[in-house]
Amino acid sequence: QKEVEQDPGPLSVPEGAIVSLNCTYSNSAFQYFMWYRQYSRKGPELLMYTYSSGNKEDGRFTAQVDKSSKYISLFIRDSQPSDSATYLCAMSMHAGGTSYGKLTFGQGTILTVHP
Amino acid sequence: DGGITQSPKYLFRKEGQNVTLSCEQNLNHDAMYWYRQDPGQGLRLIYYSQIVNDFQKGDIAEGYSVSREKKESFPLTVTSAQKNPTAFYLCASSFGLYNEQFFGPGTRLTVL
């Protein structure tokens, strides 16, 4: 079993829809949670970063972490064709020691928003 | 402009040859990382370096080597020992406690 599971999709939605992307994880030591967006043939770019449980909102994007269920989500409101990309969740345990900087990524979900 | 650059964008190699991928950053980040991305497998960590002259193996280090002689540079060598080197290679860097890693544009390596 992988430490981080993410449904690869593909997910196809109409413009304006609310999109929900999810990851589950098995390691309860994960504390830092990130979402990256990756356009085709480009490097990933950091979208959202959260620490521990709770919600964080940034414009049309909301990141949600539920540590009790080991489940994180990214919601995209009023989705646009420019949101079409692969979305990767990532998480890490802590900074410091030999685990410093080590992110564990999900497989990525391919999202297409059609006009 | 601050950022991470990788070169070349596309690289072709014959079997049995070593090849070196370049990664440079001007973000003044301490830590740098190399990942490999294959279709449907997400990103897998090859090597990472917290400071100059120090680096650690990641999850799939076999067949790869790195050096960190300067803070700004972290080149990756794909050796002939790497059995399946065709992939998209991504370099990243980070600064501070929160592990927010910033990625370069990637190098697509194809072994012919």
Side-chain angles (χ1 to χ4, degrees):
Chain A
Q1 184 189 4
K2 292 182 180 178
E3 275 192 296
V4 179
E5 296 277 0
Q6 183 176 8
D7 186 343
L11 184 61
S12 181
V13 302
E15 185 174 354
I18 296 175
V19 176
S20 172
L21 304 165
N22 310 296
C23 288
T24 59
Y25 61 96
S26 56
N27 190 340
S28 58
F30 286 136
Q31 295 182 39
Y32 301 90
F33 304 92
M34 284 140 273
W35 285 95
Y36 286 85
R37 176 175 63 196
Q38 184 178 23
Y39 292 114
S40 182
R41 298 187 180 88
K42 304 286 186 187
E45 56 179 320
L46 183 66
L47 264 183
M48 300 286 283
Y49 165 84
T50 55
Y51 169 70
S52 199
S53 286
N55 291 359
K56 182 176 181 178
E57 190 173 317
D58 184 1
R60 296 185 295 111
F61 298 91
T62 299
Q64 191 174 77
V65 174
D66 182 348
K67 290 191 73 181
S68 62
S69 302
K70 298 191 182 70
Y71 188 88
I72 68 170
S73 299
L74 177 71
F75 298 97
I76 307 174
R77 290 184 299 280
D78 186 26
S79 56
Q80 303 294 310
S82 58
D83 294 328
S84 298
T86 297
Y87 289 81
L88 298 150
C89 65
M91 47 197 79
S92 68
M93 285 181 272
H94 58 81
T98 57
S99 296
Y100 177 74
K102 186 177 185 300
L103 292 182
T104 302
F105 284 84
Q107 295 170 277
T109 299
I110 300 171
L111 171 67
T112 301
V113 181
H114 51 87
Chain B
D1 282 337
I4 303 173
T5 57
Q6 290 185 244
S7 61
K9 189 172 181 179
Y10 298 98
L11 188 57
F12 297 89
R13 186 196 94 175
K14 291 183 180 179
E15 275 194 40
Q17 289 181 336
N18 292 357
V19 63
T20 297
L21 281 58
S22 168
C23 177
E24 304 276 333
Q25 55 98 0
N26 61 5
L27 299 167
N28 199 32
H29 285 172
D30 291 311
M32 297 186 75
Y33 315 82
W34 274 105
Y35 291 91
R36 171 184 171 135
Q37 187 174 31
D38 297 281
Q41 292 202 46
L43 275 67
R44 293 183 289 168
L45 183 66
I46 304 172
Y47 268 98
Y48 66 103
S49 168
Q50 296 185 42
I51 56 172
V52 174
N53 293 324
D54 182 65
F55 48 83
Q56 306 293 330
K57 291 182 179 180
D59 300 318
I60 55 165
E62 186 175 349
Y64 300 98
S65 65
V66 294
S67 62
R68 186 86 187 276
E69 296 176 2
K70 297 187 299 181
K71 186 175 184 177
E72 303 79 23
S73 179
F74 191 41
L76 173 75
T77 297
V78 184
T79 75
S80 56
Q82 169 48 236
K83 290 185 170 56
N84 187 19
T86 294
F88 190 45
Y89 290 87
L90 288 158
C91 178
S93 68
S94 69
F95 177 72
L97 295 178
Y98 300 109
N99 295 346
E100 296 174 71
Q101 293 185 17
F102 298 89
F103 285 83
T107 292
R108 187 165 298 278
L109 172 64
T110 302
V111 174
L112 304 172

